[in-house]
Amino acid sequence: MAIPEITPREAHLRQSQGAVLVDVREDHERDLGMAEGARGIARAELEEDPSFHFADPDTELMLICQSGGRSMLAAEVLQRLGYRNVVSVRGGTLRWTADGFPLTRPDAAVEIDHDFHDRYSRHLLLPEIGTRGQRRLELARVLMIGAGGLGSPAAFYLAAAGVGHLRIVDDDVVERSNLQRQVLHTDADIGMPKVDSAETRLSALNPRTHVEAVAERVTSDNVERLLEDVDVVLDGADNFPVRYLLNDACVKLGKPLVYGAVHRFEGQVSVFDAGRKRGVAPCYRCLFPEPPPPEAAPNCSEAGVLGVLPGVVGMLEATEVLKLLLHIGEPLAGRLLHFDALSMRFRETRLPPDPDCALCAPGRPFPGYIDYAAFCSGA
């Protein structure tokens, strides 16, 4: 059965006769003004549980949005759920105001954050994020190890997405050979500490994101201080000692670790969350109980890397970070994603937790930090 549409004039008349006008736009849209007398219920919330708001399926409901599209879709859902008196207001609030009907605006004492609404408008339209999720991102704190090939794209997208605090740790300086893939930096930054270059670029992109630049090498002595108060850790390191150290600290402190690695034309991404989910999610040591010999795993300066490859892998890491912060989707915990740039193929390997893992096996106490450089060199 087709959903009837009515004009704002008819909606205004019916409203005076007891019909309920419901604005199904998102919170940030309604903050800028909504049809006078309307109730504000976001479309996703209304569709998920309409009986919470309207127990009687015979309630006369008139749905309105910005221009009429979303209200029609919401009306169709309500109709399928048994609501018999649902209509959509043609032209939405745009036509409502054009026809001369009044809007209710926020109290003049309440200051509207126009920058927030404009900057994140495309996120705010997503029911899975909305205002609540975007505010959650603003309160989030992410530790990024490395401002190089993986850290560059990840940092750009996390800052653009509105993560409130990025703690970026890297003790290196920008070199000309970095510029082929480390897009945070420019030719003018050569010789500058990477964290300073990153702070400049990211603050220019989104001044709402606080960038904490830490020009230090990650060690057993400072790793717990660096992990303090963060929600998620992103691994943009390029060596095995740091990866094992990060993994061990994240297991001990219960922090989710988003892992990425690149080699020549191939990359890997996963999420290691054994610290919070022992016996359910694996850690990095479940994948690599022991590091490969150095000759089997040369770094980028020895083996080379396709410049765009870290961009792909770093953006995938950023995606996993956002999913973890927003509590949406299915994180890559327990799955290792492989990317082959030459064949443009992705494949997935299931990665169960190792019940005998030396670090994260259930009931196993933390063994303490070790000499990771010696461990990874086979000494």
Side-chain angles (χ1 to χ4, degrees):
M1 179 179 174
I3 299 296
E5 285 189 289
I6 62 174
T7 65
R9 185 171 301 281
E10 186 175 356
H12 192 259
L13 175 62
R14 290 193 188 185
Q15 191 180 26
S16 67
Q17 298 170 345
V20 181
L21 182 62
V22 182
D23 191 326
V24 299
R25 296 177 300 163
E26 299 300 315
D27 294 346
H28 73 283
E29 296 175 281
R30 297 196 303 270
D31 284 347
L32 301 178
M34 55 191 287
E36 188 176 61
R39 287 182 57 179
I41 307 173
R43 177 189 164 197
E45 180 184 345
L46 180 63
E47 292 178 356
E48 182 178 12
D49 188 9
S51 63
F52 176 81
H53 304 280
F54 307 105
D56 185 356
D58 288 320
T59 303
E60 188 176 356
L61 299 174
M62 305 178 296
L63 308 188
I64 188 170
C65 62
Q66 187 73 2
S67 58
R70 281 176 283 170
S71 59
M72 180 64 76
L73 294 172
E76 291 172 352
V77 172
L78 264 60
Q79 187 183 76
R80 289 197 298 271
L81 294 174
Y83 285 79
R84 293 178 280 273
N85 295 318
V86 185
V87 299
S88 175
V89 179
R90 184 184 299 117
T93 52
L94 292 176
R95 182 167 173 183
W96 178 277
T97 54
D99 287 355
F101 295 106
L103 293 179
T104 300
R105 296 188 180 277
D107 191 304
V110 178
E111 184 177 349
I112 299 173
D113 188 344
H114 291 285
D115 179 83
F116 177 87
H117 291 154
D118 292 345
R119 185 179 298 273
Y120 305 125
S121 61
R122 300 307 187 268
H123 270 181
L124 300 176
L125 291 171
L126 295 171
E128 295 84 355
I129 301 180
T131 302
R132 186 178 304 175
Q134 194 62 50
R135 294 297 185 192
R136 184 181 294 138
L137 290 180
E138 279 206 322
L139 296 173
R141 301 172 66 88
V142 174
L143 171 64
M144 298 188 58
I145 303 299
L150 296 172
S152 287
F156 266 130
Y157 275 97
L158 292 177
V163 171
H165 190 108
L166 290 178
R167 179 178 297 156
I168 304 179
V169 182
D170 197 313
D171 69 335
D172 204 359
V173 298
V174 179
E175 299 178 2
R176 185 166 284 107
S177 61
N178 300 149
L179 304 180
Q180 162 249 20
R181 64 201 178 280
Q182 299 182 17
V183 294
L184 263 176
H185 317 296
T186 69
D187 197 73
D189 300 324
I190 292 173
M192 179 185 295
K194 287 183 179 179
V195 292
D196 291 345
S197 174
E199 181 180 16
T200 298
R201 212 76 68 238
L202 297 173
S203 298
L205 173 65
N206 187 356
R208 299 179 73 102
T209 293
H210 174 65
V211 180
E212 181 185 353
V214 182
E216 297 180 22
R217 180 179 294 274
V218 184
T219 67
S220 300
D221 293 329
N222 66 8
V223 67
E224 293 193 12
R225 168 171 57 83
L226 295 174
L227 266 71
E228 187 176 2
D229 298 329
V230 302
D231 302 296
V232 179
V233 179
L234 186 146
D235 174 14
D238 61 356
N239 64 84
F240 284 101
V242 170
R243 287 186 183 135
Y244 279 100
L245 171 59
L246 272 183
N247 174 77
D248 294 0
C250 285
V251 170
K252 179 184 178 183
L253 301 178
K255 308 286 186 180
L257 173 64
V258 178
Y259 156 77
V262 294
H263 176 68
R264 291 172 55 82
F265 300 99
E266 298 181 357
Q268 296 180 342
V269 185
S270 191
V271 171
F272 299 113
D273 206 0
R276 300 189 302 175
K277 302 175 181 179
R278 289 212 175 206
V280 177
C283 77
Y284 183 71
R285 288 180 182 266
C286 296
L287 175 62
F288 296 115
E290 296 183 359
E295 63 272 13
N299 60 32
C300 293
S301 64
E302 298 167 331
V305 64
L306 181 67
V308 298
L309 179 63
V312 175
V313 174
M315 285 191 290
L316 291 172
E317 286 189 89
T319 304
E320 291 301 301
V321 169
L322 293 175
K323 286 161 56 183
L324 288 167
L325 294 175
L326 292 166
H327 308 294
I328 61 173
E330 181 184 358
L332 277 172
R335 297 181 291 149
L336 181 66
L337 187 66
H338 306 257
F339 172 57
D340 184 336
L342 290 183
S343 64
M344 195 53 71
R345 286 192 176 93
F346 288 89
R347 61 185 175 88
E348 182 180 297
T349 302
R350 289 289 171 177
L351 183 62
D354 180 356
D356 297 318
C357 178
L359 184 77
C360 74
R364 182 157 295 175
F366 182 69
Y369 299 114
I370 61 174
D371 185 336
Y372 292 93
F375 173 65
C376 293
S377 66

